[in-house]
Each structure stands twice: as C-alpha cells, then as structure tokens.
Amino acid sequence: ALLAAILSTVDSALLAAGGLFSRNVLGGLHLSSAPSRLLISRASVASFGIVAVFLALRGDSVHSLVFEASAFASAGIVVSLLFGVFTRLGGRRAAKATLLIGTAGYALFAHVLQIGTPYLASLALSAWIYLAVSVFERARERADLVGA
C-alpha cells in the first residue's frame, strides 16, 4: 500500500509538472490542433520523468531529494508571487522569465557552480530578472501608448 501511494504521488507530480509546463510555458506557441497540444503535453511529462530519474539516481538520501525538489523551481515561484501580490510591477512576461531563469539559476548554482547557498542566489537572480523584465514591459507599454 505504501508503494502504491508513493507511485501515485510521483505520477501526479509528473503529470502536474508536464501539464503546467506545456500549458503555461509552451502554451504561447498557439497550436491549434488538439493532437499537437496532446503531443507536447506527453513529451513534457516524459521529459520531466527523465529529469526525475536522473535526479533520483544522483541523490544521496530521500531527505536531500525532497530538499532539492522543494528548492528547484520555488525561487521563481516565490519571487513572482511576492511581486504579483504586493506590487503592480511586472506582467506575464516577467513572471514567465522569472520562473524559467529561477529554475535554471538554481540548477546552475547548485550543480554547476556548487556555491554554498544556491537557493538564496537563485532568489536574488529571480528578483533581478523580474525587475529587469518589468522595466522592459513598462517601456514597451509606454511605446505602444505613444504609437497608438
């Protein structure tokens, strides 16, 4: 029963990650046919499954894997959530860029550069990216208003 619960949880996590990625990140591709969207969703789930196997094989313990899973994408989520709730800065592009760069930043800081505080570094990078893209978005909105 415990193994079934674990597999069910893993299955749900992979489906959620793949669905969110294909809908929110790749959704801007504007694919009109349902088979194309389904194929992208399936490929996303398979890709996240491969990443999960790779990470599981490299993990030292269950504790380290849970810590890694919590930190992996949450820097971008935390920054986007805080700016989105408490400020009027940024928009869709800022949030998407923050999610992507925050996740890539954590992977870079933790596994390539191997710095001591990869999560704090990815939080700082995510905040910087959110602010930079927000400035770009605001300048673009002003240019659109002037040109209209």
Side-chain angles (χ1 to χ4, degrees), residues 63-78 99 102-107 110-111 117-120 122-123 126:
H63 178 269
S64 70
L65 289 172
V66 170
F67 178 80
E68 187 79 20
S70 322
F72 190 64
S74 66
I77 292 170
V78 167
L99 291 172
T103 301
Y106 180 80
H111 299 290
T117 55
Y119 187 72
L120 290 177
S122 64
L123 274 175
S126 295

Side-chain angles (χ1 to χ4, degrees), residues 22-104:
S22 65
R23 172 78 175 152
N24 295 332
V25 176
L26 300 178
L29 297 177
H30 301 295
L31 298 172
S32 58
S33 68
S36 297
R37 290 191 307 266
L38 181 61
L39 180 64
I40 286 177
S41 182
R42 286 179 177 171
S44 297
V45 171
S47 299
F48 278 102
I50 291 168
V51 170
V53 168
F54 173 73
L55 291 174
L57 292 174
R58 290 194 61 215
D60 296 331
S61 66
V62 173
H63 178 269
S64 70
L65 289 172
V66 170
F67 178 80
E68 187 79 20
S70 322
F72 190 64
S74 66
I77 292 170
V78 167
V79 169
S80 295
L81 179 71
L82 290 175
F83 276 105
V85 170
F86 295 110
T87 71
R88 292 190 175 269
L89 291 173
R92 181 177 293 161
R93 286 187 180 100
K96 283 184 178 182
T98 302
L99 291 172
L100 290 173
I101 300 298
T103 301

